[in-house]
Amino acid sequence: MIEKEKWIDDIIDSAGSIKREVPRSVVFDNILSELESEKIQKLPISKLAYSIVATLVIISLNVYSVLNYSRDLSNESNSEVELISNYNIYE
């Protein structure tokens, strides 16, 4: 047990001798210049308008199809027709 504690203490003591690395000033300056030169890309108005129009078309088609489907269901329920009058098929 004492050897294990000594080994742990040696590892902890060795961590105290680790030095923090400092990047070269050239690298740091390059990173800062890249961050400053990075521009925000704006979405053109035409693309924004096209996306709004496409969204409205899709929504209107969905609303139309739901309303048309519900209208078809209501028509079917009102006109129930008996298709088979005689269930004795093989006679």
Side-chain angles (χ1 to χ4, degrees), residues 12-80:
I12 292 173
D13 291 339
S14 69
S17 64
I18 297 174
K19 296 179 183 176
R20 183 179 178 101
E21 283 295 320
V22 179
R24 296 176 300 176
S25 62
V26 175
V27 174
F28 189 66
D29 291 338
N30 288 343
I31 293 171
L32 286 179
S33 67
E34 286 290 326
L35 289 176
E36 290 173 359
S37 69
E38 195 173 301
K39 296 179 181 177
I40 299 174
Q41 292 182 346
K42 294 182 180 178
L43 188 64
I45 298 296
S46 62
K47 286 186 179 179
L48 183 63
Y50 290 142
S51 64
I52 290 172
V53 169
T55 304
L56 291 175
V57 167
I58 290 171
I59 290 173
S60 63
L61 285 174
N62 283 331
V63 168
Y64 173 76
S65 64
V66 167
L67 292 176
N68 195 20
Y69 180 73
S70 64
R71 189 176 338 126
D72 288 344
L73 285 179
S74 67
N75 287 344
E76 286 179 11
S77 65
N78 291 338
S79 63
E80 292 182 18

